[in-house]
Amino acid sequence: MTTASPFAVSASAGTAPLTREDCVAADAVNPLARFRDQFELPEGVLYFDGNSLGARPRGTAERAAEVITAEWGTDLVRSWNTAGWFDLPARLGDKLGRLIGAGDGEVVVTDSTTLNIFKALAAAVRIQKEDHPERRVIVTERDNFPTDVYITEGLIEFLDQGYELRLIDADLPWQEAITDDVVVSLLSHVNYRTGTMYNMEKVTAHAHANGVLTIWDLAHAAGAVDVQLAAAKADFAVGCTYKYLNGGPGSPAFIWVNAAHQDRFWQPLSGWWGHARPFEMETHYEPQAGIRRFLCGTQPIVSLALVECGLDVTVQTSPAELHRVSLDLTDLFIRLVEERCGDHPLTLITPRDHAVRGSHVSFEHPNGYQIIQALTARGVIGDYREPEVLRFGVTPLYLGYADVWDAVEILRDILDTRSWDAPEFHRRNAVT
Ligand SMILES: *Cc1c(COP(=O)(O)O)cnc(C)c1O
């Protein structure tokens, strides 16, 4: 379906200022508006934090009750077979794979993103020990989500074989960081703070030309932008299901491994779920063929089962359509902030160029933390990231054009009246 973009006009063109009626009219032709009813959101809340914790699909409560009362309560241990619990990581992986351009048998839903990064890095290091034994550099980004850097440091420390970290930053662009002495690059497809998106195909081609393997962290990309792992010829990918995929707080993450690499080595978290014959209870480890060797141990089945409810909504659309509407909504967000909050010190740090923008918009403001608290008190939930960043996640499955208008109006009011300066908005919470 090709739907003309209601706000495709550039944010700056000398067109008349937008009105709320324009936004309502855009909602009426939004091809994704029909999904709003599939989510449970409280009255009076405008939720712009689905990139941190996705909203709850309506079907999730019923599914949770079924897993707990029927599958666990009544069927007890038989459910490992009868309810398909044991196969869940792979079955959900196949479903999720459709949203990231992966084939069947290439994804498992399991563990956390942090743990999956460790497995992917370790597997990449072992493959390269054979292909390029002299290499010792692992590339990631200074501005990456911290856990990506921390877990890489942990692996380097543990290996104790002279591996070193090289960080992409303002002084070292990716083209210069990913050179022929590098083992693997670990990049976030969409940056968690700025919303800047890499061209996966281009970076991967550059990496491969230098003999470098790629790991893509899709935490802020899966379910939000048009990820095409196979087409980009990527090597490994990981990501969350609790953000844009609406799996629930702390729901298990996913890992994708290009079929060409799956059977080359096994990853070191070699638990019994990855064994070739887990119920033979053999003395020694023998990895299962394929993606299941990236499993480790028993999964939190209640949480894992609920991941399916979010996936079942998302697979009714396509990543390309999701991203197209998302870009339209983020364009609108940027344009309205500039039209209506233009006399306040808000600095856009998200790219205007669609080719490199993910699905959230971020602004810097010296009082960013207080403004986010004041917005939350008025029912507009975004979040705050150091330093001074106000971040607004745009989730077209349950946010529309008038929602963006209403959120920016509340932002404008908070800025115009300086209501963010109240003492209660200066107190720091543990989670921002
Ligand atoms: C949210 C996020 C994570 C989270 O990792 P967990 O193991 O689920 O805590 C990892 N990487 C990126 C880029 C993220 O945005």
Side-chain angles (χ1 to χ4, degrees), residues 51-52 112-115 117 144-145 147-148 188 190 192 217-220 240 242-243 251 253 391:
N51 56 333
S52 183
S112 67
T113 301
T114 305
L115 282 177
I117 294 170
N144 206 339
F145 189 81
T147 207
D148 296 55
S188 283
V190 175
Y192 78 103
D217 186 335
L218 305 179
H220 282 273
C240 303
Y242 56 76
K243 293 176 178 170
S251 58
R391 189 174 72 155

